[in-house]
Amino acid sequence: MPRIRRVAFIGNSLPRRCGIATFTSELQRAVAGIEPALETSIVAMNDRSQGYDYPEAVRIEIAEDSPEDYLAAATLLNTGQVDVVSLQHEFGIFGGKAGRNILPLLDRLTAPVVTTFHTVLARPNQAQREVMDRVIKASSKVVVMAEKGRALLQDVYGVAPEKIVVISHGVPDVPYCSPEAIKRSEGYDKRRVILTFGLLSPNKGIEVMIDAMPAILKACPSAVYVVLGATHPNLIRKEGEAYRESLVARVAALGIEDHVVFLDQFVDQATLLRHIGMCDVYVTPYLNEEQMTSGTLAYSHGLGRAVVSTPYWHAQELLAGGAGVLVPFGDSPAIGRAVADLLTHDDRRMALAYGAYERSRSKTWAHAARRYLKVFEEVAAVRTPVFLATKSPTILLHPVGIPPEISIDHLMAMSDDTGLFQHAVHAVPDRAHGYCIDDNARALLLAVLMENSSSPDLPSQLAGRFSSFVQHAWNPDIGRFRNFMSFDRRWLEDMGSEDSHGRTLWALGICAKSDMDAARRTWASGLFLKALVVTEQFHSPRAIAATLLGLDAYCKAEPEVAEADRMRLLLAERLMGNIAAAETPEWIWFEDVLSYDNARLSEALILTGMSTGVSRYLRAGLRTLEWLMTQQTTSSGVFRPVGSHSFGALRQPPQPFDQQPLEATATISACAAAWRATNSAKWRNDAERAFAWFLGVNDLNVPLADVRTGRCRDGLHPDRANENCGAESVVCYLLSLLEIRRMLRTRESRPESAMLQTPLPRIAAIGRMENGAGKPRPR
């Protein structure tokens, strides 16, 4: 198992006043203390424009309502060669509805993510459920601090048991001490001290405990209730100190001013530990059962204090088996009886205190840190992040309208005797990521198409190498393709995604129809039919679309296979059903969201409609593609692919970044299909406009493609290009170039129904891009 070098913690950070800030800071310090050679840092969320006076550990700050900050933070984490990201998730600390602003950052991270859920709702609303599902999907492992959290993740959210880890909330590792010595130093000599601490808000139930004080004083006249903590900053912003003032008024009305002390302060750990140390009984009178974690409860129990609590989820588990006293919610008499009983029976109180301390020795921050480190190393062993390069190459371009020549230099550099590497560091293949069937299937598709064009010949062994990878990926036991393979040729999974399976079928269909090698055509045809069976159960629109693209070719190669015809109509109807469910006059699409590889959905229906003669498929494909192009064209007529920041945003106009070659390539192919179906110059020009994106006609005027070497950068960030030139990008660029060259040959042989009125802009012969700085400031 590889050792990790860098871990970044995303959450709030001290000195911001909240429980998440305390947890994040303590966990970071504990992990750093266990592994001194490990570089740890914090990405801190800011809820105010001036930020906070953070310690050195905070390297990046994000304004919670700034989408650009999240995107640029992801770039900085990728550039910083982080091995694992530890996300502290709480709905209220990230901007957007239900904290959805964190999602684009997670989508862009190349390092594996381990998410700690501080809240797991049993009855989430729609927005909360969507965010939880996306965060869970983006996470390699998820951590909760109680078994109740594990049960909810499995039962409510459908998380696989092996993905969930339970790690108790950490507690300070300090010697047990008697309250009496500390009471003297704090001015509470000869008093029985009851303590509640934490940020004040109405859900904490402080008023219930105040109402219990008269009964407690009858049994123990020396009792004093200390309420330690500032008012929650969010409550301050909404209503000032109205809640605290209402509590003070309640105390006055009961005539117990000498027995209730409000300490309006957010204390450091040393002060906090002194106050816990001086208390005889700690009370958490919370009003809501759905509290998965309470740091205040964990700390008080961990320091060996008798605890009286309402039965919220964390308290039920921590105090089970007589480790504390549980009382009903909102029941002042019950709290009064329980606290008075402990204050007046020293043996009972001390037994609870000693027992709590002993039970907590396995929950210190050092123990928690070791558990987290083990999880970090496990996820890092499966996948290692991509590291972005820092300098830009010189990009040689041709004017738009004159397709460049095809160069396969970078494609060859990205290949070895196993297949095509997934990723590159700048232009250097990155072996750490190994291979995937997604890229090798696309490469097989490219090899076959290049054989049938006037392009330079690929070395003959490449098509065989890519097809061999596909064959090796086939798992006959379950009828699915594996996807990810490590550099040492170990499959990292038994089954890939529906989407990767569909893309492999697409490549096999093209190979069965068009490969120059008859033996390979036979192989592809046979494997295609075997792998087609499982797609009847698929629901991913992109997997269905890719399968339809494969079926379009396969049915031309094998027109007598009735099962292929049946599946083609079944899957096409499934896409039509998606449109029917999602389409409105303003949203003419297959889903409620825009995601990746969007135009392939329209292309699949266009080609299926042309091949089968079912005109409604063709009309639906053209209608959805026309709407998509309105979303992918700027007011100045420049192609702007749907940015990854848009992924998952319900019925929202697409965000401009990050822009990726995959989207441009899908758009070019779909527009080319629409052009062949309609003979309209509009679609040809849309395809050429999308191809111009590779050559620098884009939002940043930055070229993506190096036509000399066939390299292609991995995309456009808000302030610069991603300098990596990975497999997906180079294959996408070459596929797009083949399509544009094919269109040019066809255009010269036939008239069109209309001509574009506004010419495309021309771009310089040589372009160079300077790096920009990420928006969140590195510290």
Side-chain angles (χ1 to χ4, degrees):
M1 184 177 294
R3 303 296 294 175
I4 53 178
R5 298 173 301 159
R6 296 182 178 90
V7 176
F9 297 85
I10 301 178
N12 296 346
S13 173
L14 296 173
R16 182 172 172 177
R17 299 179 173 186
C18 75
I20 301 295
T22 300
F23 185 94
T24 307
S25 300
E26 291 291 349
L27 180 58
Q28 179 267 325
R29 282 197 288 262
V31 170
I34 295 296
E35 290 283 355
L38 181 66
E39 296 180 28
T40 61
S41 61
I42 295 176
V43 179
M45 305 302 305
N46 283 333
D47 60 346
R48 61 185 192 183
S49 58
Q50 68 269 34
Y52 296 86
D53 185 18
Y54 289 120
E56 183 63 26
V58 174
R59 304 291 176 82
I60 302 172
E61 300 176 35
I62 298 177
E64 65 180 36
D65 291 321
S66 172
E68 295 82 5
D69 278 17
Y70 291 88
L71 295 177
T75 298
L76 288 170
L77 289 171
N78 293 340
T79 307
Q81 303 183 10
V82 171
D83 295 302
V84 178
V85 171
S86 174
L87 175 71
Q88 308 308 311
H89 183 270
E90 180 67 77
F91 291 108
I93 71 173
F94 306 115
K97 191 173 184 180
R100 68 174 304 109
N101 282 2
I102 192 62
L103 299 179
L105 183 153
L106 296 178
D107 289 341
R108 283 187 56 193
L109 286 176
T110 54
V113 177
V114 175
T115 296
T116 301
F117 286 116
H118 292 257
T119 295
V120 182
L121 299 175
R123 295 175 291 275
N125 61 35
Q126 182 178 354
Q128 291 166 336
R129 178 58 190 262
E130 289 170 356
V131 169
M132 281 288 287
D133 287 344
R134 290 278 302 278
V135 174
I136 290 166
K137 184 176 180 180
S139 304
S140 298
K141 292 280 188 180
V142 294
V143 178
V144 287
M145 299 180 224
E147 289 296 332
K148 179 68 174 182
R150 185 204 299 271
L152 287 174
L153 286 177
Q154 292 180 226
D155 298 341
V156 178
Y157 299 91
V159 183
E162 62 271 16
K163 191 171 184 175
I164 306 170
V165 182
V166 178
I167 302 178
S168 299
H169 194 297
V171 299
D173 189 7
V174 296
Y176 179 83
C177 64
S178 168
E180 303 309 321
I182 306 176
K183 285 180 186 179
R184 287 191 290 273
S185 64
E186 296 295 326
Y188 293 94
D189 194 19
K190 299 181 180 179
R191 305 291 297 267
R192 291 295 190 194
V193 179
I194 310 158
L195 176 69
T196 296
F197 78 87
L199 294 173
L200 260 63
S201 60
N203 66 321
K204 297 297 178 65
I206 306 299
E207 62 274 14
V208 179
M209 180 59 207
I210 289 173
D211 289 347
M213 281 302 295
I216 294 170
L217 291 171
K218 287 181 181 179
C220 182
S222 65
V224 59
Y225 180 36
V226 178
V227 181
L228 173 63
T231 304
H232 198 291
N234 292 342
L235 193 62
I236 289 282
R237 284 192 288 268
K238 291 179 182 177
E239 58 182 59
E241 288 287 6
Y243 177 63
R244 180 182 294 275
E245 291 166 359
S246 73
L247 296 178
V248 173
R250 199 179 200 105
V251 169
L254 292 172
I256 54 175
E257 295 97 323
D258 292 339
H259 297 275
V260 180
V261 177
F262 292 97
L263 298 178
D264 182 7
Q265 53 188 298
F266 187 86
V267 297
D268 59 22
Q269 187 182 75
T271 304
L272 172 61
L273 297 184
R274 284 202 309 276
H275 280 80
I276 296 175
M278 76 175 184
C279 83
D280 296 283
V281 176
Y282 182 77
V283 178
T284 55
Y286 298 168
L287 302 178
N288 183 6
E289 180 188 43
E290 295 189 1
Q291 174 127 355
M292 188 60 60
T293 306
S294 170
T296 65
L297 177 67
Y299 271 33
S300 298
H301 193 258
L303 267 67
R305 291 298 172 260
V307 176
V308 174
S309 177
T310 51
Y312 54 92
W313 288 334
H314 190 192
Q316 288 180 40
E317 287 192 25
L318 190 65
L319 305 181
V325 180
L326 295 175
V327 296
F329 292 104
D331 192 336
S332 292
I335 291 181
R337 288 192 296 271
V339 172
D341 180 68
L342 291 176
L343 292 181
T344 56
H345 292 84
D346 292 350
D347 55 343
R348 197 170 303 165
R349 185 180 69 254
M350 296 309 299
L352 282 179
Y354 292 142
Y357 186 80
E358 289 302 319
R359 290 185 183 206
S360 300
R361 292 315 87 206
S362 62
K363 299 175 183 177
T364 64
W365 277 116
H367 280 85
R370 291 188 184 94
R371 294 283 312 280
Y372 272 97
L373 274 171
K374 181 179 179 183
V375 176
F376 295 162
E377 291 175 346
E378 287 175 358
V379 300
V382 176
R383 188 173 181 182
T384 309
V386 175
F387 305 146
L388 302 183
T390 56
K391 295 183 179 179
S392 305
T394 298
I395 309 293
L396 301 181
L397 302 174
H398 288 244
V400 173
I402 306 174
E405 294 299 319
I406 294 177
S407 170
I408 60 171
D409 291 354
H410 189 56
L411 181 71
M412 296 297 297
M414 289 292 293
S415 304
D416 69 357
D417 60 355
T418 298
L420 195 64
F421 290 112
Q422 283 193 76
H423 295 294
V425 180
H426 199 37
V428 177
D430 183 1
R431 297 179 179 183
H433 283 79
Y435 320 84
C436 70
I437 199 170
D438 270 327
D439 295 331
N440 281 272
R442 289 191 189 99
L444 175 59
L445 175 68
L446 174 67
V448 173
L449 294 176
M450 288 185 71
E451 287 177 344
N452 288 272
S453 70
S454 56
S455 310
D457 291 335
L458 283 173
S460 58
Q461 70 269 25
L462 273 190
R465 188 175 301 163
F466 301 143
S467 57
S468 177
F469 190 97
V470 169
Q471 176 62 48
H472 189 39
W474 174 244
N475 187 340
D477 295 336
I478 56 175
R480 291 289 292 269
F481 291 102
R482 305 172 180 92
N483 192 6
F484 295 108
M485 175 190 278
S486 63
F487 179 64
D488 60 0
R489 299 184 181 181
R490 287 181 300 105
W491 288 110
L492 302 178
E493 58 194 354
D494 292 327
M495 179 178 71
S497 65
E498 288 187 6
D499 289 6
S500 64
H501 191 98
R503 279 188 284 274
T504 308
L505 281 169
W506 176 22
L508 287 169
I510 295 293
C511 187
K513 172 181 176 289
S514 303
D515 200 296
M516 301 294 285
D517 187 309
R520 204 155 47 231
R521 290 199 304 274
T522 302
W523 160 81
S525 179
L527 184 54
F528 180 93
L529 208 54
K530 292 177 184 176
L532 180 64
V533 175
V534 73
T535 61
E536 188 163 354
Q537 309 303 320
F538 281 5
H539 296 284
S540 163
R542 281 151 192 81
I544 293 169
T547 303
L548 283 170
L549 294 175
L551 279 163
D552 185 68
Y554 178 84
C555 290
K556 291 181 174 69
E558 303 285 353
E560 304 302 321
V561 180
E563 178 62 10
D565 286 330
R566 183 188 76 83
M567 286 295 297
R568 178 159 59 170
L569 294 176
L570 183 150
L571 295 178
E573 287 298 328
R574 197 164 288 173
L575 281 187
M576 294 294 288
N578 286 351
I579 298 175
E583 184 175 7
T584 68
E586 295 78 29
W587 188 268
I588 307 170
W589 196 237
F590 299 79
E591 304 169 287
D592 292 332
V593 298
L594 288 167
S595 187
Y596 73 99
D597 226 6
N598 293 290
R600 295 294 182 194
L601 280 66
S602 300
E603 180 190 4
L605 284 182
I606 291 169
L607 292 182
T608 303
M610 291 173 66
S611 297
T612 62
V614 180
S615 60
R616 61 192 181 92
Y617 296 163
L618 176 59
R619 290 195 302 271
L622 293 171
R623 183 173 76 254
T624 54
L625 182 60
E626 186 167 6
W627 177 83
L628 179 64
M629 292 309 295
T630 67
Q631 307 299 304
Q632 295 191 129
T633 306
T634 68
S635 58
S636 60
V638 171
F639 174 70
R640 175 190 286 161
V642 173
S644 62
H645 184 206
S646 306
F647 296 177
L650 290 175
R651 296 180 180 269
Q652 295 297 313
Q655 296 297 315
F657 298 99
D658 285 354
Q659 300 176 21
Q660 298 174 358
L662 188 70
E663 298 306 314
T665 299
T667 300
I668 292 164
S669 293
C671 289
W675 177 62
R676 287 189 286 274
T678 65
N679 205 33
S680 169
K682 163 190 162 32
W683 293 115
R684 173 181 59 80
N685 282 288
D686 279 344
E688 292 184 355
R689 199 184 303 274
F691 184 73
W693 178 86
F694 284 102
L695 304 182
V697 184
N698 52 49
D699 283 296
L700 301 186
N701 295 317
V702 172
L704 278 296
D706 182 339
V707 301
R708 282 187 303 112
T709 64
R711 294 173 188 163
C712 182
R713 298 171 177 180
D714 282 350
L716 288 179
H717 300 320
D719 56 350
R720 64 195 182 282
N722 182 335
E723 299 299 345
N724 290 341
C725 300
E728 180 180 288
S729 301
V730 62
V731 173
C732 282
Y733 166 64
L734 293 176
L735 285 171
S736 297
L737 184 51
L738 281 176
E739 189 73 78
I740 288 295
R741 292 171 70 87
R742 177 188 175 194
M743 290 180 66
L744 179 62
R745 293 194 304 273
T746 306
R747 184 182 65 188
E748 292 170 348
S749 65
R750 73 180 194 185
E752 294 176 314
S753 60
M755 296 302 294
L756 185 69
Q757 300 299 312
T758 305
L760 287 168
R762 295 172 68 88
I763 55 179
I766 299 178
R768 184 185 299 274
M769 203 281 296
E770 297 298 331
N771 284 326
K775 189 171 184 287
R777 55 188 176 98
R779 295 170 60 87

